[in-house]
Amino acid sequence: MKRYLIKEILIADTYERIALVKRLSDDKEIFVYFLSYDDFVTDIKEIKSIKKGDILEGRLLIDFVCKSMKINNKKNEQSSHSFHFKSLVNKSNKISYEQPIKNSSYIEAIVEVYRVIDEYSIYVKSDISDRKILIDFESRVSYNKGDMIYVEGELKIDDFKVIKNSKKV
């Protein structure tokens, strides 16, 4: 589990939060969403539980995957499929990611399949984290270990615990 400092909560809608967080291990900033079931709010000013400056210790995952495709095979040959990032993050088919929508947990990434869990879930290597990231798909997929794939989805912190931070951000 990695630790992420909440730099700013951008959106609070019922239980869902979108936040800018900083990973404490390397100061990398990313936009994520998370669910705060103990704090139902309709206005960001009403938040009582998880706030700016708190630390979330949890795992990253990509879910709500709306698009994915294999872009090359295990032998690193180029796929006949063509794709392009909306953000033009990387045209070299190397592991990479971009969050092209301002203040959004939306993510586009090229990742390498590390382990297949089932036809809806895989673990991948990415440059979002130095740990393997779980990807949950909305529909069945057929990827194999070593495949390079392109995904579009939402970056989430899940299975987290909150560590209250006494330092000001």
Side-chain angles (χ1 to χ4, degrees), residues 3-11 17-24 28-30 32-36 44 47 49-57 157 160-165 167-169:
R3 290 183 173 195
Y4 302 88
L5 172 71
I6 297 176
K7 293 197 69 172
E8 184 176 0
I9 295 181
L10 304 161
I11 297 172
R17 309 289 185 267
I18 295 180
L20 173 63
V21 299
K22 178 172 77 171
R23 189 169 52 218
L24 295 179
K28 183 183 272 188
E29 292 184 356
I30 52 178
V32 297
Y33 87 92
F34 61 91
L35 300 174
S36 179
I44 202 164
I47 295 175
S49 61
I50 303 171
K51 296 183 177 183
K52 177 179 178 178
D54 289 343
I55 295 170
L56 301 181
E57 184 176 62
I157 293 183
F160 63 85
K161 70 178 181 180
V162 180
I163 301 167
K164 293 295 181 181
N165 189 1
K167 296 178 184 176
K168 299 224 178 197
V169 178

Side-chain angles (χ1 to χ4, degrees), residues 56-95:
L56 301 181
E57 184 176 62
R59 67 182 178 121
L60 285 180
L61 66 92
I62 299 174
D63 64 357
F64 301 124
V65 174
C66 56
K67 182 177 184 179
S68 77
M69 68 174 52
K70 182 176 165 180
I71 58 173
N72 62 8
N73 65 22
K74 290 181 189 176
K75 295 178 184 171
N76 219 18
E77 297 168 350
Q78 181 64 34
S79 169
S80 60
H81 295 290
S82 64
F83 74 96
H84 90 268
F85 284 100
K86 291 180 179 73
S87 58
L88 302 175
V89 64
N90 189 328
K91 294 184 178 187
S92 65
N93 293 353
K94 292 185 179 174
I95 291 176

Side-chain angles (χ1 to χ4, degrees), residues 59 61-65 120-122 134-138:
R59 67 182 178 121
L61 66 92
I62 299 174
D63 64 357
F64 301 124
V65 174
Y120 293 96
S121 303
I122 60 175
L134 178 68
I135 298 182
D136 284 328
F137 295 90
E138 297 293 307

Side-chain angles (χ1 to χ4, degrees), residues 127-142:
D127 65 349
I128 304 163
S129 176
D130 57 357
R131 298 204 175 168
K132 307 308 180 265
I133 293 179
L134 178 68
I135 298 182
D136 284 328
F137 295 90
E138 297 293 307
S139 57
R140 290 182 179 163
V141 294
S142 179

Side-chain angles (χ1 to χ4, degrees), residues 102-167:
K102 185 178 179 179
N103 299 334
S104 171
S105 59
Y106 172 80
I107 189 167
E108 297 177 358
I110 295 175
V111 296
E112 180 182 343
V113 177
Y114 176 74
R115 186 175 64 171
V116 176
I117 306 298
D118 58 31
E119 55 196 6
Y120 293 96
S121 303
I122 60 175
Y123 277 101
V124 298
K125 297 177 191 176
S126 75
D127 65 349
I128 304 163
S129 176
D130 57 357
R131 298 204 175 168
K132 307 308 180 265
I133 293 179
L134 178 68
I135 298 182
D136 284 328
F137 295 90
E138 297 293 307
S139 57
R140 290 182 179 163
V141 294
S142 179
Y143 297 125
N144 298 303
K145 183 175 181 172
D147 287 345
M148 296 291 287
I149 62 171
Y150 167 78
V151 296
E152 294 178 14
E154 299 293 324
L155 190 58
K156 178 181 184 182
I157 293 183
D158 200 23
D159 296 333
F160 63 85
K161 70 178 181 180
V162 180
I163 301 167
K164 293 295 181 181
N165 189 1
S166 59
K167 296 178 184 176

